[in-house]
Amino acid sequence: MADIPTFTLNNGVAMPGVLFGCFQGPECRETADIEGLHDALAAGYRGLDTANNYNTEAAVGEGVRKTDIPREQLFITTKLPSTMHHDVKASFEDSLKQLGTYIDLYLMHWPQGKKEDGTVYDGPPDGPTFNDVWEEMEKLLETKQVRAIGVSNFSHKTLGQLLQTAKVTPAVCQVEGHPFHPDFAFMKFCHSKGIHMSYYSPLGNGQTVLKDADLVEIGDAHGVSAGQVCLAWALANGVSVNPRSTNAERIKGNITLPKLTDAEVKRINDIHKNDEKRHSRLCLQPYNKEDNTASGWSLEKLGWDVGFKHA
Ligand SMILES: NC(=O)c1ccc[n+]([C@@H]2O[C@H](COP(=O)([O-])OP(=O)(O)OC[C@H]3O[C@@H](n4cnc5c(N)ncnc54)[C@H](OP(=O)(O)O)[C@@H]3O)[C@@H](O)[C@H]2O)c1
């Protein structure tokens, strides 16, 4: 089995290669416990990925307090919700309060801001632009309560716009990624700017990607599942992963990964090419196929993959 890498971010902070996804479903309201968190820490995960609007920050904080793993060995990512773009400081302080500890990585969850009633806006007069929000996030570094800042759901287009005014280059860009949606062009752009890419839904949200014949065959050769192959492949491409599971065996498997050969990595890199059925985003929550928007913005405005296919 392969060693799980640690990635050094552009400000020197070390980030684990595998972080446990702490989203517990859209209806989650302040659960006391996160299914699988105890198993994940016992299996060796040291990274936890949550967000203010997952309503799991308090449970992550509780899990971190309950374990005897020293806090400095853990890495907590959380995210600023779109509804709080107008008051970054207040939302950050709320996350700190919920977690009861400092934040290792604070991400702008989405480029677009949203009013409380859910209406999406595009800067003044309704609210700040994402460039303004980033400026507020940069100030948070002075509090010493956050070690690195970054973005999520940005694209080549929106990240390029953000970089035009950023004083601090984002340390991380978290996006959907798996063999059906590797986003290589954007990955290359991020790497050229010193921005670490991190995949959410790295198992394709538990859907079709896990039944892919190529991935199953490569998994069989190593005695592992297609899911484990997806994660090992992302790490081999220098991308960290945030898989979620509620099953103790799969939780352990997702951090016990095979060492893929260069030929296998290349074969997986090519899976999405020239095949519509194997070229699609799979994380369903934010996408509205009725009007082709994601979290209220058109795919064009988001700059998301024009080859978008809904599986
Ligand atoms: N930044 C963002 O906007 C954003 C958006 C979405 C997600 N995320 C983050 O990414 C995390 C994961 O995303 P996700 O939940 O969409 O997708 P995922 O991790 O790709 O897939 C999770 C699904 O795969 C199943 N699974 C887990 N390990 C498996 C394995 N080895 N083999 C087969 N099936 C397996 C799980 O079921 P079992 O529980 O039965 O194992 C679950 O149904 C979230 O928890 C969150 O932290 C971020």
Side-chain angles (χ1 to χ4, degrees):
M1 288 292 161
D3 289 336
I4 302 297
T6 295
F7 295 103
T8 303
L9 304 181
N10 59 14
N11 63 354
V13 168
M15 175 174 175
V18 180
L19 297 93
F20 185 66
C22 296
F23 179 65
Q24 297 275 281
E27 303 309 325
C28 171
R29 290 286 170 269
E30 309 282 340
T31 46
D33 222 351
I34 294 178
E35 253 191 297
L37 180 61
H38 175 78
D39 291 325
L41 293 173
Y45 290 71
R46 292 297 176 262
L48 304 171
D49 181 72
T50 184
N52 190 259
N53 61 6
Y54 294 172
N55 290 309
T56 55
E57 285 176 321
V60 166
E62 188 61 18
V64 164
R65 273 187 298 282
K66 272 195 209 151
T67 172
D68 48 17
I69 301 164
R71 170 66 184 91
E72 61 275 15
Q73 288 181 23
L74 297 167
F75 186 101
I76 302 175
T77 304
T78 194
K79 311 182 191 92
L80 169 76
S82 289
T83 48
M84 288 304 288
H85 277 199
H86 65 285
D87 199 342
V88 174
K89 187 167 173 279
S91 193
F92 176 71
E93 282 169 0
D94 182 56
S95 289
L96 285 175
K97 193 170 152 212
Q98 304 269 350
L99 287 164
T101 182
Y102 64 90
I103 295 163
D104 292 277
L105 176 63
Y106 193 54
L107 303 178
M108 192 188 319
H109 206 149
W110 286 85
Q112 62 272 53
K114 264 187 198 170
K115 293 185 192 168
E116 255 179 49
D117 66 3
T119 324
V120 178
Y121 59 78
D122 185 19
D126 297 319
T129 63
F130 57 69
N131 300 72
D132 298 332
V133 175
W134 185 250
E135 197 177 330
E136 291 302 308
M137 286 180 64
E138 290 173 333
K139 291 180 192 160
L140 300 178
L141 290 167
E142 291 162 20
T143 68
K144 306 284 180 213
Q145 292 299 305
V146 56
R147 299 173 70 222
I149 54 174
V151 294
S152 177
N153 291 303
F154 275 62
S155 63
H156 195 147
K157 176 178 175 177
T158 51
L159 188 52
Q161 289 164 355
L162 184 131
L163 289 175
Q164 283 172 11
T165 58
K167 290 187 202 73
V168 175
T169 300
V172 173
C173 180
Q174 189 187 104
V175 289
E176 178 181 340
H178 42 74
F180 287 10
H181 196 273
D183 228 344
F184 285 131
F186 186 41
M187 187 193 294
K188 205 169 156 197
F189 175 74
C190 286
H191 288 172
S192 75
K193 302 286 178 194
I195 300 168
H196 173 73
M197 185 176 262
S198 192
Y199 279 164
Y200 73 72
S201 304
L203 303 160
N205 207 235
Q207 300 181 53
T208 44
V209 75
L210 299 176
K211 296 193 185 81
D212 185 84
D214 284 298
L215 296 171
V216 170
E217 190 180 302
I218 293 169
D220 286 347
H222 290 273
V224 301
S225 68
Q228 288 164 288
V229 172
C230 289
L231 303 175
W233 159 81
L235 293 173
N237 278 323
V239 176
S240 57
V241 287
N242 302 271
R244 174 180 63 89
S245 177
T246 49
N247 174 283
E249 202 180 315
R250 284 193 284 280
I251 287 171
K252 196 167 178 203
N254 290 346
I255 200 165
T256 312
L257 303 174
K259 189 162 173 41
L260 301 176
T261 64
D262 290 349
E264 287 168 334
V265 172
K266 162 101 182 54
R267 184 173 162 198
I268 303 167
N269 286 350
D270 289 345
I271 279 181
H272 71 292
K273 290 183 186 162
N274 306 318
D275 187 346
E276 274 196 8
K277 289 204 187 86
R278 303 202 290 178
H279 184 176
S280 59
R281 287 181 184 267
L282 295 168
C283 181
L284 302 180
Q285 285 105 18
Y287 178 56
N288 180 349
K289 62 180 170 178
E290 301 301 319
D291 59 4
N292 232 21
T293 58
S295 273
W297 262 9
S298 70
L299 302 180
E300 203 247 318
K301 196 167 178 58
L302 282 163
W304 276 16
D305 187 352
V306 288
F308 190 110
K309 294 281 182 298
H310 183 61

